[in-house]
Amino acid sequence: MKLHLTQQEIQKPNSAPLLQTDSVIKSIEDDKLAKDYSDKIMEIKAPAGNLEMAYAAIDAGADAIYVGPTGWSRRTNDSEASDEDIQLMIDYANNKGAEVRIVVNTFPSALEMKAYLNKISKYHYMGAHGYIASDIGVLKYLKTNFPQSKIHVSVGSGISNAMDVKFYEELGCDLIVLPYR
């Protein structure tokens, strides 16, 4: 799992007494700090709200692009792509050695869930390489049904502490997008 934290964000004040909760958090943080990430290669990801952006990002060297399908991401309509354009992006990315991650970071209602999961499955069979999602149930569905896909936890999931990070890591998510504040 990749973590995007600054050293300042993960350090605890020295003067604070370690309560039981603090020791759980400290052990999670120590585990994260102790891991050796020297074998990891940096990956450049870029947004792609339309075909022109997708092609430009891939041509400029992006390893992966992420795109929101019309109606199923938290992006505005002018920054979402049709299924036809998403297929063209996937084909282009595959030809250039890049990947496409689908942003499905809305919280579907019970009435929308069947259509939502069908849409996600469609992208998998179109050749999408991964997903960015917010809904806990959807994240579990993705990891269970498409274990080879890269699963990113969206900033919209509301992750605010190390225990949240540990939860998503145990769920099998590959990357967590943390809020910058």
Side-chain angles (χ1 to χ4, degrees), residues 66-76 79-80 101-109 112 116 119-120 123 130-136 138-139 142 151-158 177:
Y66 53 94
V67 59
T70 303
W72 298 104
S73 78
R74 293 175 44 199
R75 297 170 163 257
T76 58
S79 294
E80 293 181 320
R101 316 275 166 81
I102 308 297
V103 181
V104 286
N105 59 351
T106 59
F107 291 93
S109 71
E112 297 171 315
Y116 185 85
K119 198 68 134 156
I120 288 171
Y123 298 125
Y131 300 89
I132 300 174
S134 297
D135 185 278
I136 295 170
V138 169
L139 288 162
L142 289 167
I151 309 301
H152 301 221
V153 181
S154 173
V155 69
S157 294
V177 183

Side-chain angles (χ1 to χ4, degrees), residues 25-89:
I25 292 170
K26 176 129 182 66
S27 113
I28 291 169
E29 291 168 349
D30 289 346
D31 179 51
K32 295 295 175 209
L33 291 173
K35 288 185 179 179
D36 179 12
Y37 291 104
S38 61
D39 65 332
K40 301 295 179 196
I41 297 174
M42 181 174 39
E43 181 179 70
I44 299 171
K45 288 182 259 330
N50 59 46
L51 279 175
E52 182 181 351
M53 288 175 65
Y55 294 169
I58 292 168
D59 290 342
D63 299 301
I65 58 170
Y66 53 94
V67 59
T70 303
W72 298 104
S73 78
R74 293 175 44 199
R75 297 170 163 257
T76 58
N77 283 353
D78 62 339
S79 294
E80 293 181 320
S82 68
D83 289 353
E84 295 77 21
D85 283 353
I86 290 173
Q87 184 65 69
L88 291 171
M89 291 176 194

